[in-house]
Amino acid sequence: MRAPIGHFDHATPAPECLGDLTRPVADAVRDWSGDLPVDRIVYVDTDPEWADTATFVEHYGKELLDQSANCVVVAGKRGGETTLAACVVLSATRVDVNGAVRRQLGVRKASFAAMDIATGETGMEYGGITPIGLPADWPVLVDPAVVALPYVLVGSGRRRGKLLVPGELFAELPNAVVLEGLGLA
């Protein structure tokens, strides 16, 4: 199969390669119940040495810079309680943690979650966290610019491999909220 975006040697519908995904991501693909067909999620095998954005786009296609998104885990605190959430924004933007995220979560303070919390709670590798397969009770905040793209490159749960996902599918994720102003230039 040819990948819908980028220049990859191998592209496979995600349901056909569950063994290449982390358990939470494989479970989410297997149990998908959204309106869009799950086989539109495509797994591409990539070299983990090229996982960082600048090196990645140099090797797999410069156009991917405008078609890739980051998924970051944030922690919001209020009254001694912590709420974890995921934020999905285009790679060329940054998450408005102290504005849009804090207001949406209804917390007094929000910050990026510590690496050990992010990886421990998601079951995914740092640098490969994806919104597909996150804990069921987490809010998933998605910038509208991500939803507007035909396909978006995101992590696969590991540093090796990426997922190519139809933008509109992000709005169908459990607990997804498309949030205007989430990504800042």
Side-chain angles (χ1 to χ4, degrees):
M1 146 176 224
R2 182 170 162 77
I5 58 173
H7 311 288
F8 301 96
D9 294 331
H10 303 286
T12 309
E16 295 176 19
C17 59
L18 297 177
D20 293 324
L21 305 172
T22 60
R23 176 182 219 120
V25 178
D27 289 347
V29 169
R30 187 182 304 104
D31 299 338
W32 179 252
S33 61
D35 290 335
L36 287 173
V38 72
D39 63 358
R40 293 200 42 213
I41 301 173
V42 176
Y43 174 79
V44 291
D45 188 37
T46 60
D47 189 322
E49 295 296 315
W50 299 325
D52 294 320
T53 304
T55 307
F56 189 89
V57 299
E58 186 67 35
H59 188 76
Y60 295 109
K62 292 184 189 241
E63 73 279 5
L64 291 171
L65 188 59
D66 296 326
Q67 299 169 320
S68 64
N70 292 325
C71 178
V72 297
V73 178
V74 296
K77 296 181 180 183
R78 183 180 193 96
E81 290 198 26
T82 300
T83 300
L84 295 174
C87 299
V88 184
V89 298
L90 293 178
S91 295
T93 64
R94 59 186 173 81
V95 176
D96 183 11
V97 176
N98 292 313
V101 172
R102 189 179 53 73
R103 284 189 301 275
Q104 181 65 33
L105 297 180
V107 296
R108 298 192 75 185
K109 182 181 179 191
S111 59
F112 295 106
M115 182 173 61
D116 61 326
I117 299 290
T119 57
E121 294 292 325
T122 63
M124 300 179 200
E125 293 177 7
Y126 188 74
I129 294 175
T130 185
I132 298 170
L134 292 172
D137 58 338
W138 282 23
V140 179
L141 310 179
V142 184
D143 190 84
V146 173
V147 176
L149 289 174
Y151 265 90
V152 181
L153 175 109
V154 292
S156 68
R158 302 174 23 209
R159 284 185 64 84
R160 170 171 218 108
K162 300 286 185 185
L163 296 176
L164 307 177
V165 181
E168 58 190 329
L169 188 140
F170 291 100
E172 294 186 15
L173 292 170
N175 298 321
V177 175
V178 179
L179 185 59
E180 196 68 48
L182 180 63
L184 300 174

Short mmCIF file of all heavy atoms in Angstrom, two decimals, residues 124-174:
data_model
loop_
_atom_site.label_atom_id
_atom_site.label_comp_id
_atom_site.label_asym_id
_atom_site.label_seq_id
_atom_site.Cartn_x
_atom_site.Cartn_y
_atom_site.Cartn_z
N MET A 124 2.96 4.13 26.76
CA MET A 124 3.60 4.45 25.48
C MET A 124 5.00 4.99 25.75
O MET A 124 5.32 5.40 26.87
CB MET A 124 2.77 5.47 24.71
CG MET A 124 1.37 4.99 24.39
SD MET A 124 0.44 6.27 23.49
CE MET A 124 -1.24 5.71 23.79
N GLU A 125 5.82 5.00 24.71
CA GLU A 125 7.18 5.52 24.82
C GLU A 125 7.20 7.03 24.67
O GLU A 125 6.45 7.60 23.87
CB GLU A 125 8.08 4.91 23.74
CG GLU A 125 8.30 3.43 23.89
CD GLU A 125 9.12 2.84 22.76
OE1 GLU A 125 9.64 3.60 21.90
OE2 GLU A 125 9.25 1.61 22.72
N TYR A 126 8.10 7.67 25.42
CA TYR A 126 8.29 9.11 25.30
C TYR A 126 8.75 9.42 23.88
O TYR A 126 9.62 8.75 23.34
CB TYR A 126 9.32 9.60 26.32
CG TYR A 126 9.43 11.09 26.38
CD1 TYR A 126 8.43 11.84 26.99
CD2 TYR A 126 10.50 11.75 25.81
CE1 TYR A 126 8.51 13.22 27.04
CE2 TYR A 126 10.59 13.13 25.86
CZ TYR A 126 9.58 13.85 26.47
OH TYR A 126 9.66 15.23 26.52
N GLY A 127 8.16 10.41 23.25
CA GLY A 127 8.49 10.75 21.87
C GLY A 127 7.61 10.03 20.87
O GLY A 127 7.72 10.26 19.68
N GLY A 128 6.73 9.16 21.36
CA GLY A 128 5.84 8.43 20.46
C GLY A 128 4.40 8.42 20.93
O GLY A 128 3.56 7.70 20.39
N ILE A 129 4.10 9.21 21.96
CA ILE A 129 2.74 9.21 22.52
C ILE A 129 1.75 9.66 21.46
O ILE A 129 1.97 10.63 20.74
CB ILE A 129 2.66 10.08 23.78
CG1 ILE A 129 3.51 9.43 24.89
CG2 ILE A 129 1.22 10.26 24.25
CD1 ILE A 129 3.63 10.24 26.16
N THR A 130 0.65 8.93 21.37
CA THR A 130 -0.39 9.20 20.38
C THR A 130 -1.73 9.33 21.10
O THR A 130 -1.91 8.75 22.18
CB THR A 130 -0.43 8.05 19.33
OG1 THR A 130 -1.37 8.39 18.32
CG2 THR A 130 -0.79 6.72 19.93
N PRO A 131 -2.68 10.07 20.53
CA PRO A 131 -3.99 10.18 21.18
C PRO A 131 -4.84 8.92 21.05
O PRO A 131 -5.85 8.78 21.71
CB PRO A 131 -4.64 11.37 20.49
CG PRO A 131 -3.98 11.42 19.15
CD PRO A 131 -2.57 10.94 19.36
N ILE A 132 -4.42 8.00 20.19
CA ILE A 132 -5.18 6.76 19.99
C ILE A 132 -4.72 5.74 21.02
O ILE A 132 -3.55 5.34 21.02
CB ILE A 132 -4.98 6.24 18.55
CG1 ILE A 132 -5.52 7.27 17.56
CG2 ILE A 132 -5.66 4.88 18.37
CD1 ILE A 132 -5.18 7.01 16.12
N GLY A 133 -5.61 5.37 21.94
CA GLY A 133 -5.26 4.39 22.95
C GLY A 133 -4.96 4.98 24.31
O GLY A 133 -4.43 4.28 25.19
N LEU A 134 -5.30 6.21 24.54
CA LEU A 134 -5.08 6.83 25.85
C LEU A 134 -6.08 6.30 26.87
O LEU A 134 -7.12 5.74 26.49
CB LEU A 134 -5.21 8.35 25.73
CG LEU A 134 -4.12 9.03 24.93
CD1 LEU A 134 -4.46 10.50 24.71
CD2 LEU A 134 -2.77 8.89 25.62
N PRO A 135 -5.80 6.47 28.16
CA PRO A 135 -6.77 6.04 29.17
C PRO A 135 -8.16 6.61 28.88
O PRO A 135 -8.31 7.78 28.49
CB PRO A 135 -6.18 6.60 30.47
CG PRO A 135 -4.69 6.61 30.21
CD PRO A 135 -4.57 7.00 28.75
N ALA A 136 -9.17 5.79 29.07
CA ALA A 136 -10.55 6.10 28.67
C ALA A 136 -11.12 7.35 29.34
O ALA A 136 -11.99 8.01 28.76
CB ALA A 136 -11.45 4.91 28.96
N ASP A 137 -10.64 7.70 30.52
CA ASP A 137 -11.23 8.84 31.23
C ASP A 137 -10.50 10.16 30.96
O ASP A 137 -10.90 11.20 31.48
CB ASP A 137 -11.27 8.57 32.73
CG ASP A 137 -9.90 8.29 33.33
OD1 ASP A 137 -8.98 7.89 32.59
OD2 ASP A 137 -9.76 8.46 34.56
N TRP A 138 -9.48 10.14 30.14
CA TRP A 138 -8.73 11.37 29.85
C TRP A 138 -9.44 12.24 28.82
O TRP A 138 -9.87 11.74 27.78
CB TRP A 138 -7.38 11.04 29.25
CG TRP A 138 -6.34 10.60 30.21
CD1 TRP A 138 -6.52 10.05 31.44
CD2 TRP A 138 -4.94 10.64 29.99
NE1 TRP A 138 -5.32 9.74 31.99
CE2 TRP A 138 -4.33 10.08 31.13
CE3 TRP A 138 -4.14 11.06 28.93
CZ2 TRP A 138 -2.94 9.97 31.24
CZ3 TRP A 138 -2.78 10.94 29.05
CH2 TRP A 138 -2.18 10.41 30.20
N PRO A 139 -9.52 13.55 29.06
CA PRO A 139 -9.92 14.44 27.98
C PRO A 139 -8.84 14.46 26.90
O PRO A 139 -7.65 14.41 27.21
CB PRO A 139 -10.01 15.82 28.66
CG PRO A 139 -10.04 15.55 30.13
CD PRO A 139 -9.32 14.24 30.33
N VAL A 140 -9.25 14.50 25.64
CA VAL A 140 -8.32 14.62 24.51
C VAL A 140 -8.68 15.92 23.81
O VAL A 140 -9.71 16.02 23.14
CB VAL A 140 -8.42 13.42 23.55
CG1 VAL A 140 -7.46 13.59 22.37
CG2 VAL A 140 -8.14 12.11 24.28
N LEU A 141 -7.85 16.93 24.01
CA LEU A 141 -8.09 18.25 23.44
C LEU A 141 -7.38 18.32 22.09
O LEU A 141 -6.18 18.03 22.00
CB LEU A 141 -7.57 19.34 24.38
CG LEU A 141 -8.02 19.21 25.85
CD1 LEU A 141 -7.43 20.33 26.69
CD2 LEU A 141 -9.53 19.17 25.95
N VAL A 142 -8.12 18.70 21.06
CA VAL A 142 -7.59 18.68 19.69
C VAL A 142 -7.79 20.05 19.05
O VAL A 142 -8.90 20.60 19.06
CB VAL A 142 -8.32 17.61 18.83
CG1 VAL A 142 -7.70 17.52 17.45
CG2 VAL A 142 -8.32 16.25 19.52
N ASP A 143 -6.71 20.59 18.50
CA ASP A 143 -6.81 21.85 17.79
C ASP A 143 -7.57 21.65 16.48
O ASP A 143 -7.37 20.65 15.78
CB ASP A 143 -5.41 22.40 17.49
CG ASP A 143 -5.47 23.82 16.98
OD1 ASP A 143 -5.53 24.74 17.81
OD2 ASP A 143 -5.49 24.01 15.74
N PRO A 144 -8.47 22.57 16.10
CA PRO A 144 -9.24 22.44 14.86
C PRO A 144 -8.38 22.29 13.61
O PRO A 144 -8.80 21.67 12.64
CB PRO A 144 -10.07 23.72 14.80
CG PRO A 144 -10.06 24.29 16.16
CD PRO A 144 -8.83 23.79 16.85
N ALA A 145 -7.18 22.85 13.61
CA ALA A 145 -6.30 22.74 12.45
C ALA A 145 -5.89 21.29 12.19
O ALA A 145 -5.66 20.89 11.05
CB ALA A 145 -5.06 23.61 12.63
N VAL A 146 -5.83 20.49 13.24
CA VAL A 146 -5.51 19.06 13.09
C VAL A 146 -6.68 18.35 12.42
O VAL A 146 -6.51 17.57 11.48
CB VAL A 146 -5.18 18.43 14.46
CG1 VAL A 146 -5.02 16.92 14.36
CG2 VAL A 146 -3.94 19.06 15.07
N VAL A 147 -7.88 18.62 12.89
CA VAL A 147 -9.09 17.98 12.36
C VAL A 147 -9.31 18.35 10.89
O VAL A 147 -9.83 17.55 10.12
CB VAL A 147 -10.31 18.37 13.22
CG1 VAL A 147 -11.60 17.80 12.67
CG2 VAL A 147 -10.11 17.91 14.67
N ALA A 148 -8.86 19.54 10.49
CA ALA A 148 -9.09 20.04 9.13
C ALA A 148 -8.22 19.38 8.07
O ALA A 148 -8.53 19.47 6.88
CB ALA A 148 -8.89 21.55 9.10
N LEU A 149 -7.15 18.72 8.46
CA LEU A 149 -6.24 18.11 7.47
C LEU A 149 -6.78 16.77 6.97
O LEU A 149 -7.37 16.01 7.74
CB LEU A 149 -4.85 17.90 8.08
CG LEU A 149 -4.04 19.16 8.33
CD1 LEU A 149 -2.75 18.82 9.07
CD2 LEU A 149 -3.73 19.87 7.02
N PRO A 150 -6.52 16.45 5.70
CA PRO A 150 -6.96 15.15 5.18
C PRO A 150 -6.29 13.99 5.91
O PRO A 150 -6.94 13.01 6.26
CB PRO A 150 -6.54 15.17 3.71
CG PRO A 150 -6.34 16.60 3.37
CD PRO A 150 -5.96 17.30 4.65
N TYR A 151 -4.97 14.08 6.14
CA TYR A 151 -4.22 13.08 6.90
C TYR A 151 -3.21 13.80 7.77
O TYR A 151 -2.67 14.84 7.38
CB TYR A 151 -3.49 12.09 5.98
CG TYR A 151 -4.29 10.83 5.74
CD1 TYR A 151 -5.16 10.75 4.67
CD2 TYR A 151 -4.19 9.74 6.59
CE1 TYR A 151 -5.90 9.61 4.44
CE2 TYR A 151 -4.92 8.59 6.38
CZ TYR A 151 -5.77 8.52 5.30
OH TYR A 151 -6.51 7.39 5.09
N VAL A 152 -2.95 13.22 8.95
CA VAL A 152 -2.03 13.79 9.91
C VAL A 152 -1.07 12.69 10.38
O VAL A 152 -1.51 11.58 10.69
CB VAL A 152 -2.79 14.37 11.13
CG1 VAL A 152 -1.84 14.98 12.13
CG2 VAL A 152 -3.84 15.39 10.68
N LEU A 153 0.20 13.02 10.46
CA LEU A 153 1.20 12.12 10.99
C LEU A 153 1.31 12.33 12.49
O LEU A 153 1.50 13.45 12.94
CB LEU A 153 2.55 12.41 10.32
CG LEU A 153 3.71 11.61 10.86
CD1 LEU A 153 4.15 10.58 9.83
CD2 LEU A 153 4.87 12.51 11.20
N VAL A 154 1.15 11.24 13.27
CA VAL A 154 1.30 11.30 14.73
C VAL A 154 2.09 10.09 15.18
O VAL A 154 2.33 9.15 14.42
CB VAL A 154 -0.06 11.33 15.48
CG1 VAL A 154 -0.80 12.62 15.24
CG2 VAL A 154 -0.91 10.13 15.15
N GLY A 155 2.46 10.08 16.45
CA GLY A 155 3.17 8.94 17.02
C GLY A 155 2.33 7.67 16.96
O GLY A 155 1.11 7.72 16.77
N SER A 156 3.00 6.56 17.16
CA SER A 156 2.33 5.25 17.13
C SER A 156 2.30 4.60 18.51
O SER A 156 1.86 3.47 18.65
CB SER A 156 3.04 4.32 16.15
OG SER A 156 4.33 3.99 16.64
N GLY A 157 2.80 5.30 19.52
CA GLY A 157 2.93 4.72 20.85
C GLY A 157 4.36 4.31 21.13
O GLY A 157 4.73 4.04 22.26
N ARG A 158 5.17 4.25 20.07
CA ARG A 158 6.60 3.92 20.16
C ARG A 158 7.38 4.96 19.36
O ARG A 158 6.81 5.65 18.53
CB ARG A 158 6.86 2.54 19.55
CG ARG A 158 6.09 1.44 20.17
CD ARG A 158 6.25 0.10 19.46
NE ARG A 158 7.47 -0.02 18.67
CZ ARG A 158 7.57 -0.78 17.57
NH1 ARG A 158 6.54 -1.48 17.15
NH2 ARG A 158 8.69 -0.85 16.91
N ARG A 159 8.67 5.01 19.58
CA ARG A 159 9.50 5.90 18.76
C ARG A 159 9.69 5.32 17.37
O ARG A 159 9.89 6.06 16.42
CB ARG A 159 10.84 6.18 19.43
CG ARG A 159 10.69 7.17 20.57
CD ARG A 159 11.99 7.58 21.19
NE ARG A 159 12.90 8.30 20.33
CZ ARG A 159 12.89 9.60 20.09
NH1 ARG A 159 11.95 10.36 20.62
NH2 ARG A 159 13.80 10.16 19.32
N ARG A 160 9.62 4.02 17.24
CA ARG A 160 9.70 3.39 15.92
C ARG A 160 8.28 3.35 15.35
O ARG A 160 7.38 2.84 15.98
CB ARG A 160 10.25 1.97 16.00
CG ARG A 160 10.11 1.25 14.67
CD ARG A 160 10.83 -0.08 14.62
NE ARG A 160 11.37 -0.18 13.27
CZ ARG A 160 12.64 -0.08 12.96
NH1 ARG A 160 13.55 0.06 13.89
NH2 ARG A 160 13.02 -0.14 11.71
N GLY A 161 8.11 3.90 14.18
CA GLY A 161 6.80 3.87 13.53
C GLY A 161 5.96 5.09 13.85
O GLY A 161 6.12 5.73 14.88
N LYS A 162 5.10 5.40 12.92
CA LYS A 162 4.16 6.52 13.05
C LYS A 162 2.81 6.06 12.54
O LYS A 162 2.69 5.07 11.83
CB LYS A 162 4.62 7.73 12.22
CG LYS A 162 5.96 8.29 12.59
CD LYS A 162 5.92 9.06 13.88
CE LYS A 162 7.27 9.72 14.15
NZ LYS A 162 7.31 10.37 15.44
N LEU A 163 1.78 6.82 12.89
CA LEU A 163 0.44 6.60 12.36
C LEU A 163 0.08 7.76 11.45
O LEU A 163 0.37 8.91 11.76
CB LEU A 163 -0.59 6.49 13.48
CG LEU A 163 -0.44 5.32 14.44
CD1 LEU A 163 -1.49 5.41 15.55
CD2 LEU A 163 -0.54 3.99 13.72
N LEU A 164 -0.56 7.44 10.33
CA LEU A 164 -1.14 8.44 9.44
C LEU A 164 -2.65 8.33 9.64
O LEU A 164 -3.24 7.27 9.39
CB LEU A 164 -0.75 8.15 7.99
CG LEU A 164 0.75 8.00 7.72
CD1 LEU A 164 0.99 7.66 6.26
CD2 LEU A 164 1.51 9.24 8.13
N VAL A 165 -3.24 9.40 10.13
CA VAL A 165 -4.62 9.36 10.60
C VAL A 165 -5.43 10.46 9.89
O VAL A 165 -4.99 11.61 9.84
CB VAL A 165 -4.67 9.59 12.13
CG1 VAL A 165 -6.09 9.54 12.67
CG2 VAL A 165 -3.78 8.57 12.85
N PRO A 166 -6.62 10.12 9.38
CA PRO A 166 -7.47 11.18 8.84
C PRO A 166 -7.75 12.22 9.92
O PRO A 166 -8.10 11.86 11.06
CB PRO A 166 -8.76 10.45 8.44
CG PRO A 166 -8.36 9.01 8.28
CD PRO A 166 -7.25 8.80 9.28
N GLY A 167 -7.59 13.50 9.58
CA GLY A 167 -7.77 14.55 10.58
C GLY A 167 -9.10 14.48 11.31
O GLY A 167 -9.17 14.63 12.53
N GLU A 168 -10.18 14.19 10.57
CA GLU A 168 -11.51 14.18 11.18
C GLU A 168 -11.66 13.05 12.20
O GLU A 168 -12.53 13.11 13.07
CB GLU A 168 -12.59 14.11 10.11
CG GLU A 168 -12.48 12.90 9.21
CD GLU A 168 -13.40 12.96 8.00
OE1 GLU A 168 -14.49 13.55 8.07
OE2 GLU A 168 -13.01 12.40 6.96
N LEU A 169 -10.82 12.02 12.13
CA LEU A 169 -10.91 10.92 13.08
C LEU A 169 -10.57 11.37 14.50
O LEU A 169 -11.09 10.84 15.47
CB LEU A 169 -9.99 9.78 12.64
CG LEU A 169 -10.12 8.48 13.42
CD1 LEU A 169 -10.04 7.29 12.48
CD2 LEU A 169 -9.06 8.37 14.49
N PHE A 170 -9.71 12.38 14.63
CA PHE A 170 -9.34 12.86 15.97
C PHE A 170 -10.56 13.37 16.74
O PHE A 170 -10.62 13.25 17.95
CB PHE A 170 -8.27 13.95 15.88
CG PHE A 170 -6.95 13.44 15.42
CD1 PHE A 170 -6.55 13.60 14.11
CD2 PHE A 170 -6.09 12.78 16.29
CE1 PHE A 170 -5.33 13.12 13.66
CE2 PHE A 170 -4.87 12.29 15.86
CZ PHE A 170 -4.49 12.47 14.54
N ALA A 171 -11.53 13.93 16.03
CA ALA A 171 -12.75 14.42 16.68
C ALA A 171 -13.64 13.28 17.16
O ALA A 171 -14.54 13.49 17.97
CB ALA A 171 -13.53 15.33 15.73
N GLU A 172 -13.39 12.05 16.66
CA GLU A 172 -14.18 10.88 17.05
C GLU A 172 -13.56 10.09 18.20
O GLU A 172 -14.15 9.12 18.68
CB GLU A 172 -14.36 9.94 15.85
CG GLU A 172 -15.18 10.51 14.74
CD GLU A 172 -15.45 9.49 13.65
OE1 GLU A 172 -15.25 8.28 13.87
OE2 GLU A 172 -15.87 9.91 12.57
N LEU A 173 -12.39 10.49 18.65
CA LEU A 173 -11.75 9.77 19.75
C LEU A 173 -12.58 9.91 21.03
O LEU A 173 -13.24 10.93 21.23
CB LEU A 173 -10.34 10.31 20.00
CG LEU A 173 -9.32 10.02 18.90
CD1 LEU A 173 -8.03 10.82 19.15
CD2 LEU A 173 -9.03 8.53 18.81
N PRO A 174 -12.53 8.90 21.91
CA PRO A 174 -13.25 9.02 23.19
C PRO A 174 -12.82 10.28 23.94
O PRO A 174 -11.62 10.57 24.02
CB PRO A 174 -12.83 7.75 23.95
CG PRO A 174 -12.42 6.78 22.89
CD PRO A 174 -11.83 7.62 21.77
#
